[in-house]
């Protein structure tokens, strides 16, 4: 008799990683992967580090790479602003952004002048936050929609397949002995 | 006794797994269900599964009425998601491989409608429709299909037609030369607009397409170059070398064509 050499917080009666599901022959590996995936809280953190993470998880690579590109451009924009302000000895955070006096400022009227770097920084920040939220909310929706379609398809087909059978019971008679501790 | 018991259990488990592959009837009913709903996402999601069932139907080619209706319904699915070339191919599969009067009557309007979407004229569609395929064996119907389907001239259909061509080869039936010629052109990735010009000019003999003099020189050299490029792509350097030598010695090349041949010769020399 062997004893567990691992410490588990939850009760574990078997190796769940080696559980082989009985999947339909016509199910593709993509569909199988989509069905086995869920968006969890940890994915929110992953999505901060990897732009487009949820879309990649939902197998929407086009949207994923678009978000990755947009967020990368936004980071470059922020870095550009940082370097520019450092080189010119300006404060990184302008407490009164609408009354700038530098030459590069865009003049809206006498009382309203906006620094170009502030516009870039604001747009970059909006893009970073926006792509994150879009990735999380839309990606989750895409994953769920795909899972619904797969579940619907195979559920209806199983139902139709069973209705064609001549016998009503498809179970295999078997005997077994189980000991639980 | 124990051995027999294990064997029975294995046989039963295979029976249970076999059920997971859906029957034609199930696939047909599901297609009818989703086509009636008209949900494009649902239809698009099922197309891969339907094509698997279609392959299985062609391989088994039983004389079942359901097969004809399956392809008709698959054509409707493609039509609903606006993949008109694939829809027309499905109607071709129904019309040529599984001819059935009632299924034909049901799909005739949609067949014409789909063919119009694929830029065919009324006369051309009528010619497709009127091809006689009754009272011939399934292998002969496959040949008729392989003769007609490439005329749709869509790049997306190539894998489907090639699959049916490969199935015909596996039956041991002699494959017609026109199919071999089409296959060789598709393998070297010729464009469909070029195929449209080349295919009607081809002579039914075993001369390679790039040596058939009735094709315009510009196109013939293009086939030559694409064939050499194909062999380079699959690292068949010796065959590429043979063809390249042939190309350089037998053809009157311009300056740019000579430069291109030199680049290819270098690629062969450095195995790149």
């Amino acid at each position: 008799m062997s004893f567990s050499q691992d410490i588990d917080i939850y009760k574990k009666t078997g190796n769940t990683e080696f559980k082989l599901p009985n999947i339909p022959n016509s199910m593709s590996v993509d569909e199988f992967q989509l069905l086995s995936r869920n968006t969890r809280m940890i994915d929110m953190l992953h999505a901060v580090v990897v732009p487009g993470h949820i879309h990649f998880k939902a197998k929407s690579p086009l949207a994923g790479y678009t978000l990755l590109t947009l967020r990368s451009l936004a980071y470059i924009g922020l870095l550009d602003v940082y370097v520019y302000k450092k080189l010119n000895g300006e404060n990184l955070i302008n407490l009164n952004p609408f009354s700038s006096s530098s030459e590069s400022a865009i003049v809206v009227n006498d009382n309203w002048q906006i620094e170009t770097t502030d516009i870039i920084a604001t747009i970059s920040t909006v893009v970073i936050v926006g792509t994150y939220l879009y990735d999380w909310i839309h990606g989750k929706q895409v994953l769920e929609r795909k899972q619904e379609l797969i579940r619907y398809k195979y559920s209806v087909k199983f139902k139709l397949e069973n209705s064609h059978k001549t016998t009503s019971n498809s179970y295999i008679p078997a005997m077994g002995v189980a000991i639980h501790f | 006794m124990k051995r027999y018991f294990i064997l029975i259990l294995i046989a039963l488990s295979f029976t249970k797994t076999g059920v997971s592959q859906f029957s034609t009837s199930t696939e047909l009913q599901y297609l009818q269900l989703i086509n009636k709903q008209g949900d494009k996402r649902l239809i698009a999601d099922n197309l891969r599964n339907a094509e698997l069932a279609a392959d299985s139907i062609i391989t088994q080619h039983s004389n079942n009425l359901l097969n004809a209706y399956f392809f008709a319904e698959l054509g409707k699915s493609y039509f609903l998601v606006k993949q008109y070339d694939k829809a027309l191919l499905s109607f071709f599969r129904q019309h040529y491989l599984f001819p059935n009067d009632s299924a034909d009557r049901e799909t005739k309007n949609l067949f014409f409608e789909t063919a119009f979407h694929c830029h065919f004229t009324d006369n051309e569609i009528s010619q497709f429709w009127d091809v006689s395929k009754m009272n011939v064996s399934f292998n002969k119907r496959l040949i008729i299909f392989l003769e007609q389907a490439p005329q749709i001239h869509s790049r997306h259909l190539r894998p489907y037609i090639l699959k049916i061509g490969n199935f015909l080869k596996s039956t041991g039936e002699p494959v017609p030369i026109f199919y071999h010629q089409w296959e060789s052109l598709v393998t070297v990735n010729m464009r469909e607009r070029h195929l449209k010009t080349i295919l009607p000019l081809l002579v039914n003999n075993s001369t390679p397409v790039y040596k058939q003099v009735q094709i315009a020189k510009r196109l013939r050299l293009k086939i030559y170059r694409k064939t050499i490029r194909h062999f380079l792509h699959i690292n068949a350097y010796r065959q590429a070398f043979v063809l390249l030598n042939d190309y350089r010695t037998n053809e009157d090349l311009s300056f740019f064509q000579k430069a291109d041949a030199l680049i290819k010769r270098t690629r062969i020399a450095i195995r790149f």
Side-chain angles (χ1 to χ4, degrees), chain A residues 26 145 152 154 157 161, chain B residues 26 37 41 46 48-49:
Chain A
S26 51
R145 204 170 55 208
Y152 178 85
Y154 289 108
K157 283 185 184 180
E161 191 74 23
Chain B
T26 301
Q37 288 185 59
R41 284 176 308 163
N46 185 51
R48 191 193 61 82
N49 298 67

Side-chain angles (χ1 to χ4, degrees), chain A residues 7-19:
Chain A
I7 299 168
D8 290 325
I9 297 171
Y10 302 107
K11 188 188 173 190
K12 205 173 179 183
T13 53
N15 186 357
T16 48
E17 300 299 324
F18 203 71
K19 203 172 169 185

